[in-house]
Amino acid sequence: MRHIPSAIASAPVLRRASALGLALAACLGAAPAAVAAPTASKSGAGLDRYYDQRLGWGNCAKGADDSAGRDLDKAGVQCADVTVPLDYSAPRGRTITVAVSRLRATDTRHRIGSLLLNNGGPGGQALESPPEFHAWMKKAGPRYDIIGFDPRFVGRSTPLDCGWPVGTNLFSAGLSRAGFDRQVALQKDLAAKCRATNADVLPHVTTRNTARDMDVIRGALGEKRISYFGYSYGTYLGTVYTQMFPGRTDRVVLDGAIDPSRYGPRLLQSVVGENERALADWATWAAARDDTYGLGRTRAQVLATVDRVIRTSARAPLTVGAEPEAFRLDDTQVPFVLLAGVSSDTDTARAALGEQMSVLNKAAAGQPTRLSPQFAATLRLALTGEQSHHGSVQSAVICGDRAAPRDPEVYWRDIERSRAASPRFGALVNNIGPCAFWDRPREEPTQVKRDAKVLIVSATGDPRTAHKGALALHGMLPSSKLITLKGANHHAVYGLYGNTCVDDKVNRYLATGKLPLDDQTCSQQDGRS
């Protein structure tokens, strides 16, 4: 997915979600020496019928217009629906379905097990991811059944859509109190729309319930233990699974890791500095290409242009594009474009932000503009209701997991305090969201109290899930090992950044089941052209 960033932000995998763009048995099939995992039939009163269900594997394409499904069929992927209870405390009540896909192991003699994928979000789809993961895994790929799934209420699973007029709630408070007050009204309205249309479902849209769904998938696949690869929010989901279902994982990789103690509606507060630094690094890159983008010949000049665009949009919204598809962006929306643009430091990502800021700079000068297909898609999906379901699910999970402050003045004070040190992103990461108006969560957040042998991957300049979060998770799981990619401003690494040092170390772990003896460090330039 090249996802619209959320309050948790999704890692950019090629097919991870449609919006903008995605541990096992011992080597050679030897049984792991961990504590024996419960069998499916011992998983809880009233749940046996879910764990013991037979999956109806078949074609992925749902019709003649389903190009993604046809691509999966051509790649040899099969799809099925897993039935799970809406409410695990009432397993005989209403049920929903979770869509899963499977690319079966071809090296059956050396088959390791099933590898379950999650691409972040919340709200990231992974149903389409098995073929690309198979390629990234190289020699280890044929030894796994690679399992993609769309979490509850995502993608091809039972849907949830609050009918929002926007595809994300991730906006800035802008430069004035009036802008913040408009945000309070918007976010309150978004929450009300969700309650009005999905009140009976919202209490069950949580990470803990998704983890329970994962264990049902494990049981339905006939696995005593399952391997797992999670990006971004998926690292939190994977951590929660290890705590709720100890002994049921084999090899676990958590890439772009989140500090579980900081996960919640205000997680992006912890990366405001990383985003400001990533933007400054991009400004240096853009300054060297002033002939192309016209934003300034020094870092300071480029950042001054950015600030001028924001100030101009505060006086009157900027009109970009032309009819029949033109968009108006004010100072609450321009910072979203910046945040979306600094999730990666690759030349491709930096060029995209350069083009977008060039368009906004021309609009601020009153000049006509033309949008690239990519920029038009970004704005369409963020500022219209085209991807309402995406923002709806993201907020439902985050708000259902952890409560947020309810008093708008809490947010306004944080915004005002942040402006000097974080002039572009402080008013965004501290802004109020729909969780301020959500019902209280049904369950307490998961506490990490059990050790788990996992492999954590993190880039030092990750602008979505801070490297310090990976260090914190590493400390909570003493048996874990950490691979650090130094010098990269990039969210999630494996398979996405072209860093052979990181990719090879992850693949070695997936193939052997052996964590490195010590933490590992890779350079930004390893394997990159």
Side-chain angles (χ1 to χ4, degrees):
M1 83 186 167
R2 295 224 194 272
H3 254 168
I4 294 173
S6 69
I8 301 304
S10 310
V13 173
L14 292 178
R15 291 185 180 273
R16 185 171 297 219
S18 59
L20 295 179
L22 168 230
L24 313 144
C27 186
L28 302 181
V35 177
T39 62
S41 61
K42 298 179 181 178
S43 297
L47 294 175
D48 286 359
R49 69 185 180 106
Y50 299 105
Y51 279 85
D52 296 338
Q53 66 185 289
R54 296 178 63 87
L55 301 183
W57 295 105
N59 290 341
C60 296
K62 298 295 186 182
D65 296 331
D66 186 3
S67 59
R70 288 200 308 273
D71 288 345
L72 290 174
D73 292 339
K74 291 177 183 177
V77 177
Q78 295 176 305
C79 291
D81 288 329
V82 179
T83 301
V84 297
L86 172 66
D87 180 356
Y88 275 86
S89 68
R92 298 186 184 280
R94 178 179 170 184
T95 63
I96 58 175
T97 59
V98 174
V100 297
S101 62
R102 177 179 67 181
L103 183 59
R104 301 198 72 165
T106 53
D107 186 0
T108 54
R109 182 178 179 184
H110 301 130
R111 181 182 180 275
I112 296 172
S114 293
L115 173 66
L116 189 64
L117 310 176
N118 181 274
N119 285 328
Q125 300 169 226
L127 192 86
E128 300 173 36
S129 295
E132 65 192 2
F133 260 84
H134 183 273
W136 293 340
M137 291 167 69
K138 298 183 179 178
K139 292 182 180 180
R143 298 175 59 196
Y144 285 93
D145 286 356
I146 305 176
I147 310 296
F149 81 110
D150 290 349
R152 54 173 51 203
F153 305 110
V154 172
R156 300 191 186 209
S157 298
T158 298
L160 180 148
D161 192 338
C162 296
W164 284 3
V166 292
T168 180
N169 64 282
L170 191 60
F171 298 118
S172 174
L175 301 183
S176 67
R177 177 67 194 221
F180 173 69
D181 289 341
R182 289 194 299 272
Q183 281 294 304
V184 172
L186 170 65
Q187 304 293 346
K188 186 175 183 179
D189 181 63
L190 296 180
K193 281 181 164 58
C194 277
R195 283 197 304 273
T197 55
N198 296 278
D200 57 335
V201 169
L202 293 180
H204 312 293
V205 191
T206 66
T207 297
R208 288 178 64 85
N209 278 331
T210 300
R212 293 176 177 113
D213 295 343
M214 286 170 51
D215 204 54
V216 169
I217 293 171
R218 175 198 62 79
L221 293 172
E223 303 280 13
K224 288 189 175 181
R225 292 175 177 82
I226 198 164
S227 292
Y228 177 81
F229 198 117
Y231 287 104
S232 192
Y233 161 79
T235 68
Y236 178 71
L237 173 62
T239 301
V240 169
Y241 183 81
T242 67
Q243 302 303 299
M244 292 179 67
F245 299 99
R248 299 187 192 182
T249 58
D250 185 359
R251 297 163 211 188
V252 176
V253 183
L254 306 177
D255 189 346
I258 290 174
D259 177 354
S261 67
R262 294 192 65 92
Y263 166 80
R266 310 193 79 191
L267 177 65
L268 279 185
Q269 286 180 313
S270 66
V271 290
V272 64
E274 284 80 357
N275 278 281
E276 293 284 355
R277 287 191 291 274
L279 182 66
D281 288 348
W282 167 82
T284 300
W285 181 94
R289 295 158 178 81
D290 183 57
D291 290 345
T292 300
Y293 303 111
L295 301 173
R297 294 191 175 277
T298 67
R299 171 189 286 203
Q301 289 175 358
V302 173
L303 292 176
T305 298
V306 169
D307 293 340
R308 183 173 63 252
V309 168
I310 295 173
R311 289 196 303 271
T312 303
S313 71
R315 292 192 293 269
L318 309 180
T319 299
V320 297
E323 298 301 338
E325 188 168 46
F327 299 91
R328 290 165 59 82
L329 286 80
D330 63 18
D331 56 326
T332 69
Q333 297 156 336
V334 171
F336 164 82
V337 175
L338 298 172
L339 188 78
V342 298
S343 65
S344 172
D345 61 6
T346 63
D347 282 345
T348 299
R350 284 178 163 174
L353 181 56
E355 177 265 327
Q356 292 166 8
M357 283 309 304
S358 179
V359 168
L360 292 173
N361 189 36
K362 290 177 182 177
Q367 300 174 15
T369 59
R370 178 178 298 177
L371 301 180
S372 68
Q374 180 192 24
F375 194 18
T378 300
L379 297 178
R380 186 184 315 120
L381 298 175
L383 304 181
T384 75
E386 183 173 304
Q387 288 287 329
S388 170
H389 65 278
H390 180 75
S392 301
V393 174
Q394 286 191 330
S395 293
V397 174
I398 297 166
C399 302
D401 282 344
R402 193 182 294 265
R406 294 190 175 277
D407 183 0
E409 297 307 315
V410 171
Y411 300 89
W412 179 245
R413 288 193 293 270
D414 289 344
I415 289 164
E416 290 288 87
R417 282 193 292 261
S418 73
R419 291 192 189 277
S422 306
R424 296 107 198 169
F425 295 117
L428 189 155
V429 303
N430 290 291
N431 195 23
I432 197 166
C435 297
F437 308 101
W438 219 262
D439 291 340
R440 304 288 293 186
R442 291 278 183 93
E443 295 185 83
E444 291 296 318
T446 301
Q447 301 296 314
V448 178
K449 297 180 179 180
R450 302 176 185 271
D451 194 10
K453 294 182 177 180
V454 308
L455 183 62
I456 302 169
V457 181
S458 177
T460 54
D462 189 325
R464 292 293 178 272
T465 53
H467 182 60
K468 57 182 173 280
L471 294 174
L473 178 61
H474 185 29
M476 295 176 189
L477 304 175
S479 295
S480 66
K481 290 295 184 287
L482 174 65
I483 300 176
T484 298
L485 177 61
K486 294 187 67 175
N489 301 330
H490 188 82
H491 181 48
V493 179
Y494 175 78
L496 304 173
Y497 199 61
N499 188 277
T500 55
C501 176
V502 171
D503 293 354
D504 289 349
K505 291 179 187 298
V506 171
N507 284 338
R508 188 177 302 119
Y509 168 61
L510 292 173
T512 67
K514 297 179 180 179
L515 288 168
L517 294 177
D518 300 298
D519 293 339
Q520 305 285 300
T521 300
C522 293
S523 166
Q524 180 186 18
Q525 300 305 318
D526 289 335
R528 296 188 63 79
S529 58

